[in-house]
Amino acid sequence: MSSGYHIVVCGSIVPDPWQTLEPVTGPSGPALKNEMMLPAVLDPWAGHALFEAADLARRCPGSKVWLVSLGPKAKLQQVMMTIGQKAAFELVAMDGPANGFTDAAETAAALAGAIEGIAGLDRTRLLLFGGWESASRGAGVTLQLVGERLGITEQFQGVDQLSVQADDRFEILERIEGGCHQVSVCQGPPAVLGWATGHLPEPKNNPQIGMQNMRLVMPALQRAKTTPIPNEGLAFAEVTLPAQLRETRIVKDQSPEAIAREIVDWIKE
Amino acid sequence: METILLLVHPEADGTLARPALEALTATQAVAASLTDGRYTVGLLGSGTDAAANQIASAGAAKLLAIADERLAQARYATDAAAAEALCRAAGATVVIAPATARFNRVLPGVSHRLGGRADTHVSQLEAADGALSVTRWLYRQRLRSRLTRAQRPWMLLVDPGCHPAWQGEAGSATAEPVALPAELVVRTEVTGMKAPAADAQTIRPDAGLLFVAGAGWTKKQADGQTHVPDAEQLILGFLKQTRASLGSSKSLVDLGGEGQAVLSFLTHLNQIGQTGATPRHPKGLSTCCHGEEPHTVGWRFITERRAINTDGNCGWARGKADVLYIADAFAVMAKVNELLAAQG
Ligand SMILES: Cc1cc2nc3c(=O)[nH]c(=O)nc-3n(C[C@H](O)[C@H](O)[C@H](O)COP(=O)(O)OP(=O)(O)OC[C@H]3O[C@@H](n4cnc5c(N)ncnc54)[C@H](O)[C@@H]3O)c2cc1C
């Protein structure tokens, strides 16, 4: 496409997967203990979407990438310091909750509203990207809802590859059952793509991109509107931490034969 | 009172696959508590007769079907319109469906069109005192939640492997036809499927055993050398004899992207964990994988777990496995393969 794509990536933050999570009951329902103290990272599958977006934009001149994020402002700022070095984008931030207990439909409404408000966004060239699931809510519904609100009916989930063909049509690979991919050809934007892992490694930090992004990130964070997510109609009857630990029997100083025999017996049980 | 609709789609051969039959069991249980056993089944596909006949004796009050050639392809625009039409025809307040890739793609969007809500990865449905609640996991299987919603319709995508599959006699059933709107803007064609070659088809959701390979298989061993070809042979030999499903750690699949020697049959689809899959198998055997938390969250639904690692301080030792064998996986798996071959 000669004029390029307008790629909007929806993605927020999640606690670093190394952190221990503990549910607590807050004034407005369940929450994580010390949530604001937990180190955060960009939601991994949304991260893949962002890296794929930046790569596509680089290959298609005239393209532009926006990252639309709803999350606690202070945490967003921390995460942008690192993510801002990896891919060129313009941030659109909203200050609100982004934990696993926030309603996906209300989040989608806020995201769609923010996208509609992006000055200069050409909706005929729009590619709406994001992770196919978050690592917090794991809902796998948010992007579809944003897509519906924006009237986009070409939607793909679990995307591992998007190739632009010579005639500007897209070939898209989506994950389906049994380790297979469904292959589709879409005439072009507007489309929604919920990314799985994609095929790009995480980009190395690039201080030049970082400086360029930061000029826009700080003002975007300052402009971030308070966006409450009231969770209307949603009630958590319980949130529990499953029993994690097993009694591990440790077998050492046994010959490979003896271990192999035990394993084979176990498999055949 | 709720009005319950089970949505299903036949596979390419015209029949309903296991996830659909599991969702049928879940639907029957909820209907027994909430609607005196009354529920409707909605079928969508290019042809739906065989599927309707397959569940003829399941006791549905009504069958609705959209059989339309445009549904031969699993794509958003047509599938969403079909699911929407079936939900409207049924007047459903609760919609239960198997969490197949096809339904995961479209039903959330359909919930928006109907003014309702959708929840995915539902592992349990409870109906007590006339109220429905569902169990789903948060934070990649770290926290378990049970929730209710006031909005209707409430669309529930039930994860495969959580309910027994319905079993019953096939028969002859007639479904009431529902029309798919004639004018639908369709800008996508499904052109095919990419499946690994038959001998590289290593992801087997129905297998009794998950075999996980970690990055250790590609690392320098006691002799200071790597032994990647041996590792490939041992792993493929084991998979061939056991028909186990193959999982991997992230580090191992990522090595491919970094240009290092890796096991040629592994892709990101094999990855288990935080940013990978969370399969359901009765048993799992981990080899040469450290058992770090971002990996082991993917083992949430593996019932019995064993690991082989040379390092007694690996994560598996700390309550993540039932048995940890401190041993060289190359040596053990060679013997395992020998024993399996001898037993035929
Ligand atoms: C945001 C985020 C998301 C992540 N998501 C995932 C995910 O989805 N899945 C995942 O797996 N990881 C994930 N990780 C990475 C995770 O933290 C670990 O880095 C990764 O799981 C390590 O893989 P490994 O155990 O195979 O490799 P290593 O840590 O390198 O461990 C190799 C192991 O092999 C053993 N070994 C070597 N030789 C032998 C032998 N001959 N016999 C027996 N044992 C041997 C060693 O003792 C060692 O324990 C994620 C990390 C982050 C930050």
Side-chain angles (χ1 to χ4, degrees):
Chain A
M1 174 172 274
S2 52
S3 45
Y5 304 110
H6 280 184
I7 312 172
V8 173
V9 183
C10 295
S12 190
I13 54 169
V14 294
D16 185 310
W18 291 98
Q19 299 302 313
T20 307
L21 305 181
E22 198 182 318
V24 291
T25 305
S28 53
L32 292 179
K33 189 171 174 187
N34 297 330
E35 191 174 328
M36 290 307 287
M37 311 291 284
L38 296 173
V41 295
L42 183 66
D43 198 347
W45 274 313
H48 289 296
L50 178 64
F51 306 146
E52 294 282 346
D55 182 62
L56 180 63
R58 207 173 32 243
R59 286 184 285 119
C60 301
S63 297
K64 180 164 179 184
V65 178
W66 288 265
L67 174 63
V68 179
S69 255
L70 165 62
K73 196 156 121 176
K75 293 261 125 194
L76 278 180
Q77 182 173 343
Q78 277 171 18
V79 171
M80 289 310 139
M81 292 298 164
T82 47
I83 284 306
Q85 311 233 8
K86 294 186 183 289
F89 58 82
E90 187 173 326
L91 178 70
V92 178
M94 283 171 283
D95 187 13
N99 66 24
F101 314 105
T102 49
D103 184 44
E106 292 173 9
T107 302
L111 293 172
I115 294 167
E116 281 168 333
I118 294 177
L121 180 74
D122 179 352
R123 300 258 295 262
T124 63
R125 294 195 277 157
L126 173 62
L127 293 179
L128 180 69
F129 278 22
W132 67 328
E133 272 180 21
S134 69
S136 48
R137 203 164 36 224
V141 312
T142 314
L143 281 181
Q144 292 96 318
L145 299 177
V146 177
E148 282 287 327
R149 284 179 176 272
L150 300 177
I152 307 175
T153 54
E154 305 313 304
Q155 298 204 11
F156 307 88
Q157 293 296 328
V159 176
D160 272 332
Q161 196 174 309
L162 164 70
S163 335
V164 182
Q165 301 183 327
D167 58 3
D168 283 342
R169 293 191 303 166
F170 298 144
E171 187 189 71
I172 294 163
L173 261 55
E174 283 172 285
R175 288 187 184 187
I176 55 170
E177 283 77 11
C180 301
H181 283 107
Q182 173 167 295
V183 187
S184 303
V185 173
C186 172
Q187 285 168 17
V192 174
L193 288 95
W195 284 87
T197 310
H199 64 290
L200 299 173
E202 183 168 325
K204 300 233 169 351
N205 286 352
N206 179 335
Q208 228 172 337
I209 293 183
M211 294 216 309
Q212 183 191 318
N213 276 343
M214 279 311 143
R215 281 206 306 271
L216 297 171
V217 163
M218 294 317 287
L221 286 165
Q222 273 152 14
R223 277 197 306 273
K225 274 206 211 100
T226 306
T227 309
I229 300 290
N231 278 357
E232 211 161 303
L234 168 64
F236 285 89
E238 60 186 359
V239 177
T240 51
L241 198 61
Q244 283 270 5
L245 292 187
R246 294 162 181 249
E247 289 279 331
T248 307
R249 174 164 69 88
I250 296 185
V251 178
K252 57 179 171 191
D253 303 329
Q254 292 272 344
S255 70
E257 286 90 335
I259 294 173
R261 201 166 295 282
E262 194 176 307
I263 289 175
V264 170
D265 288 347
W266 170 65
I267 293 173
K268 297 252 154 135
E269 251 170 35
Chain B
M1 185 140 77
E2 305 282 9
T3 302
I4 300 175
L5 171 69
L6 166 69
L7 273 185
V8 288
H9 60 78
E11 302 303 313
D13 67 357
T15 64
L16 298 174
R18 191 182 167 91
L21 301 176
E22 292 175 1
L24 172 52
T25 311
T27 303
Q28 287 173 325
V30 171
S33 309
L34 292 184
T35 58
D36 297 326
R38 248 188 101 76
Y39 66 95
T40 299
V41 176
L43 299 127
L44 62 93
S46 55
T48 53
D49 291 349
N53 289 340
Q54 189 181 349
I55 53 168
S57 67
K62 195 173 5 171
L63 280 99
L64 302 171
I66 302 188
D68 189 299
E69 209 26 64
R70 288 171 290 174
L71 300 175
Q73 301 182 21
R75 70 184 150 199
Y76 190 90
T78 38
D79 280 356
E84 180 187 352
L86 286 169
C87 293
R88 289 194 193 278
T93 60
V94 171
V95 181
I96 299 173
T100 57
R102 184 170 193 173
F103 277 153
N104 283 343
R105 185 188 299 115
V106 297
L107 293 189
V110 175
S111 76
H112 176 76
R113 294 184 187 182
L114 298 169
R117 290 285 190 269
D119 280 298
T120 56
H121 295 304
V122 169
S123 51
Q124 222 177 316
L125 297 98
E126 268 176 65
D129 306 323
L132 179 63
S133 66
V134 303
T135 298
R136 65 186 304 280
W137 291 79
L138 303 171
Y139 290 99
R140 302 292 298 154
Q141 295 67 246
R142 291 226 179 91
L143 304 182
R144 190 171 178 271
S145 78
R146 191 157 63 80
L147 59 95
T148 62
R149 289 194 185 266
Q151 292 89 353
R152 295 291 183 271
W154 191 9
M155 314 195 82
L156 301 167
L157 287 136
V158 181
D159 262 351
C162 300
H163 297 84
W166 175 81
Q167 288 181 322
E169 291 292 304
S172 166
T174 311
E176 230 174 81
V178 175
L180 183 64
E183 297 298 321
L184 285 175
V185 180
V186 177
R187 297 195 296 113
T188 295
E189 290 291 320
V190 177
T191 54
M193 263 233 312
K194 263 200 179 146
D199 59 345
Q201 177 58 279
T202 55
I203 297 172
R204 302 177 178 132
D206 295 331
L209 178 71
L210 171 72
F211 178 85
V212 161
W217 284 107
T218 61
K219 300 262 159 89
K220 283 189 181 151
Q221 295 299 310
D223 60 1
Q225 308 290 319
T226 61
H227 296 272
V228 177
D230 295 343
E232 289 211 0
Q233 239 179 18
L234 287 171
I235 294 168
L236 286 179
F238 179 76
L239 295 180
K240 201 166 168 192
Q241 299 200 72
T242 54
R243 308 293 300 160
S245 189
L246 178 63
S248 165
S249 69
K250 181 173 188 292
S251 296
L252 184 54
V253 282
D254 280 355
L255 289 176
E258 292 157 14
Q260 282 199 43
V262 278
L263 307 173
S264 54
F265 43 86
L266 280 175
T267 72
H268 271 113
L269 299 185
N270 294 95
Q271 184 186 320
I272 307 293
Q274 172 84 16
T275 44
T278 312
R280 289 174 194 264
H281 299 277
K283 291 177 188 169
L285 177 62
S286 152
T287 53
C288 298
C289 163
H290 206 72
E292 291 185 1
E293 181 67 10
H295 173 76
T296 55
V297 290
W299 283 64
R300 171 70 65 213
F301 306 124
I302 306 297
T303 318
E304 292 179 35
R305 309 176 188 175
R306 297 193 180 196
I308 309 173
N309 201 305
T310 41
D311 181 357
N313 287 318
C314 66
W316 302 107
R318 276 171 268 126
K320 294 187 193 287
D322 304 307
V323 184
L324 168 64
Y325 301 102
I326 302 178
D328 176 358
F330 281 86
V332 173
M333 291 313 295
K335 288 285 167 203
V336 166
N337 283 350
E338 266 175 45
L339 285 171
L340 288 169
Q343 292 180 5

